[in-house]
Amino acid sequence: KDLDVLLRALSASPAAHFVRCFRPNDSQQPGRLDRLYLLEQLRNCGTVQLLQVMQQGFPHRIDLKEVADRYGQLLPAHLRGSSHRTLAQSLMLAHGVPRTDWSLGFTRLFLKAGQLSALEDLKSGAGRLDADMVAAATRAVVLGRWRQARSAALCAVRLARLAREIRRRRLRRRFRVAVIAVALVASL
């Protein structure tokens, strides 16, 4: 009976996108809620991170592989051979979706409300990709990769300098200790 009521409520609500069930306690006793046990379940299945992303306004989540499979053929051949993440980024930039309306994760593309239907319209042919937009997207991806490579190189240089400085400090400290030890031995 309770399940039927829940299903009716969910089907009547257009805002419900998913349902996750959690065990209230490990001993399955009715009327007992173990908060730590429940919190551990929430953390382990990624619900906390999911709620944070949804709170930021990205209710739609699509696996990057699915984006590549569904929309990859809309991009030129030279972009289709790239990684799923780069392909998704290129698609969003080429489609002219504002950067504030989407975000890339490691494995998923997060979209704000309305952007998923815009991608479906693009696939159905309602919206065509402009060659200038594709070129701009390609430039943006290449520029982004260049910036990442530059940042990585600068970081490597800074780390090398830091390692040299740490080595120098250690050698100075050892030298001071040795000078003090020699001075103590000489004074005896």
Side-chain angles (χ1 to χ4, degrees), residues 91-116:
L91 181 72
M92 299 307 287
L93 292 171
H95 185 53
V97 178
R99 191 67 176 102
T100 56
D101 288 355
W102 58 278
S103 181
L104 277 175
F106 289 111
T107 60
R108 296 190 184 270
L109 171 65
F110 299 97
L111 300 168
K112 285 195 174 181
Q115 296 306 322
L116 187 60

Side-chain angles (χ1 to χ4, degrees), residues 11-78:
S11 63
S13 171
H17 295 289
F18 61 90
V19 174
R20 295 238 170 122
C21 298
F22 298 98
R23 296 171 63 187
N25 58 62
D26 57 348
S27 59
Q28 297 185 1
Q29 294 176 355
R32 183 174 160 255
L33 178 68
D34 184 352
R35 291 179 187 269
L36 292 176
Y37 183 73
L38 186 61
L39 183 61
E40 183 180 338
Q41 290 178 76
L42 290 170
R43 283 188 188 137
N44 289 340
C45 74
T47 304
V48 174
Q49 291 85 1
L50 173 68
L51 292 175
Q52 288 171 345
V53 167
M54 289 184 73
Q55 184 180 14
Q56 292 174 356
F58 296 105
H60 302 291
R61 301 159 310 280
I62 309 171
D63 188 62
L64 291 177
K65 183 176 179 347
E66 184 180 342
V67 171
D69 293 342
R70 290 174 73 180
Y71 307 107
Q73 71 275 10
L74 298 175
L75 292 172
H78 70 278

Side-chain angles (χ1 to χ4, degrees), residues 2 13 24 31 44 66 74 83 132 134 136 143 146 149 151-152 168:
D2 291 337
S13 171
N44 289 340
E66 184 180 342
L74 298 175
S83 70
D132 293 335
V134 172
L143 182 62
W146 182 83
S151 294
R168 279 189 211 123

Side-chain angles (χ1 to χ4, degrees), residues 159-175:
L159 284 174
R161 285 181 189 159
L162 180 63
R164 282 193 303 268
E165 182 61 31
I166 289 171
R167 215 174 294 123
R168 279 189 211 123
R169 287 180 186 170
R170 286 181 181 161
L171 287 173
R172 283 183 197 145
R173 194 175 309 130
R174 287 180 185 167
F175 181 73

